[in-house]
Amino acid sequence: MTHAAPSTTPETSDTAAPLWRHAHAPAWFFFGGLALWLFLLLVPHVLLGNPAVIPAWILLGSGLAASTLLLIMARRLQPGDGVTTATLLWAVLVGGFIAITLGSTFDSLIGVAATDAGENPHDIGLFFAGVAEELAKIIAVVIVAWRLPVKTARGGLFVGGAVGVGFAVLENLWYIGQGWANGVEASQKLAAGSPPLETILSHPAFQAAGAAFARTVFDPVGHPLWTALFAAAVFAAARNGRFRITVGVLLTYLLVAVMHGLWDGNTVLWGLLFPGMPVLKALVVPAMVVLVVAFALIWRARVRRINRDAGVVSLHVPRRERKQA
């Protein structure tokens, strides 16, 4: 009986890191998607006159920033978080649809109640959007994460952020689609021989692109941030794998609802505080900048505390683990 000679070729256990784990993957993903978004608009639609690409163009515009944020979240997952990449994708798809379904229902009920009370349903809806939509999103978080064996505050950050991403993408579709519809209406009202600048500004693509840009800039400090903070509190309050409603959970709900309401009701708030003074509407943009900074500081303080309690130095995946992935 003979035995084969042992191989002298060294065996390597290291495998090539997947593309999404590379150091600059989020940047390539975002700017590559942005280039594709511009190409879809300018070449197939504008130059070649193909309107069939518009739905794909709107979908890409609504989800590019949110998807990039999801990629960053997936890269920062660590084994002790009790959350996998598959969990994040499940939270985005299933949780996002559950949240938008419940959120739209709650928003509509608030609008009906405001109408019955003789109030402006639009203004009331903006102020109470946080109450309705944050409740809807946390219900989605609980449904998605119900059977997770490990529930930590860090895990809540990821699951809540993913549900917020799903909600944001679906909501963005409406805003960008509405921008396109407004552009179509404006273009139809243009008189023959209108100035070129007015013609460009009224083009549906310009209106929709403006909505997409605004949503892209503010997506990271909107739904994903609010829901991540709320979900972190809910996960931290869990005991023996069971969710609980505590004082901390209720206070966090109040915080994120106020943050959300201030963001959505910013314009209405200035009108109520300074009626008949349209010049003060110029303060809307500075106020949004202040809110962004405030949200970012709250987020940073909370995440640092969660990481410190979990013994995690940073949300970033360690470089050595990135190479071994």
Side-chain angles (χ1 to χ4, degrees):
M1 182 175 181
T2 60
H3 297 278
S7 173
T8 58
T9 303
E11 295 183 1
T12 59
S13 58
D14 292 339
T15 57
L19 289 177
W20 67 276
R21 301 283 293 183
H22 288 187
H24 303 294
W28 281 105
F29 181 86
F30 178 79
F31 289 108
L34 181 61
L36 179 61
W37 184 72
L38 292 172
F39 180 87
L40 282 172
L41 174 66
L42 297 177
V43 178
H45 178 60
V46 175
L47 294 181
L48 302 179
N50 185 356
V53 301
I54 296 305
W57 181 76
I58 292 176
L59 178 61
L60 182 58
S62 71
L64 180 57
S67 299
T68 304
L69 180 60
L70 181 67
L71 174 60
I72 294 173
M73 291 166 55
R75 288 162 49 84
R76 296 180 179 182
L77 283 174
Q78 297 187 9
D81 298 330
V83 178
T84 64
T85 304
T87 304
L88 292 185
L89 294 176
W90 184 256
V92 170
L93 296 175
V94 177
F97 274 100
I98 293 174
I100 201 73
T101 301
L102 294 177
S104 60
T105 303
F106 296 161
D107 283 335
S108 299
L109 291 175
I110 290 175
V112 171
T115 302
D116 292 341
E119 302 290 341
N120 186 332
H122 178 263
D123 293 350
I124 297 297
L126 289 176
F127 277 121
F128 286 92
V131 175
E133 294 176 8
E134 295 309 321
L135 176 60
K137 286 183 289 179
I138 205 62
I139 292 175
V141 167
V142 169
I143 292 174
V144 168
W146 187 263
R147 298 184 64 84
L148 285 182
V150 178
K151 297 180 177 69
T152 65
R154 263 181 61 86
L157 287 176
F158 289 107
V159 177
V163 170
V165 164
F167 187 97
V169 171
L170 295 172
E171 188 179 61
N172 290 351
L173 284 172
W174 183 88
Y175 282 102
I176 299 174
Q178 187 66 26
W180 184 274
N182 292 340
V184 170
E185 184 179 355
S187 298
Q188 293 174 346
K189 293 180 179 179
L190 278 180
S194 298
L197 180 60
E198 185 178 353
T199 302
I200 294 174
L201 293 178
S202 63
H203 193 279
F206 186 90
Q207 301 283 341
F213 176 77
R215 307 301 293 185
T216 295
V217 169
F218 295 116
D219 263 353
V221 294
H223 291 293
L225 184 150
W226 301 322
T227 313
L229 290 175
F230 194 6
V234 170
F235 273 52
R239 293 293 182 272
N240 300 321
R242 295 179 179 274
F243 290 115
R244 302 184 307 154
I245 298 177
T246 64
V247 173
V249 169
L250 295 177
L251 290 177
T252 305
Y253 176 39
L254 178 62
L255 172 65
V256 297
V258 170
M259 293 167 68
H260 192 156
L262 285 175
W263 182 262
D264 283 8
N266 182 27
T267 304
V268 178
L269 181 62
W270 285 114
L272 293 176
L273 293 176
F274 305 100
M277 300 179 67
V279 67
L280 290 176
K281 291 184 179 180
L283 295 176
V284 170
V285 174
M288 294 179 72
V289 174
V290 171
L291 288 175
V292 166
V293 173
F295 295 168
L297 291 176
I298 294 173
W299 164 263
R300 184 181 182 186
R302 182 58 180 151
V303 169
R304 281 189 169 185
R305 181 173 180 178
I306 290 174
N307 285 337
R308 184 171 63 250
D309 293 344
V312 177
V313 176
S314 172
L315 276 175
H316 291 280
V317 176
R319 188 177 298 275
R320 63 178 180 275
E321 291 185 17
R322 195 179 300 160
K323 291 181 179 180
Q324 294 173 0

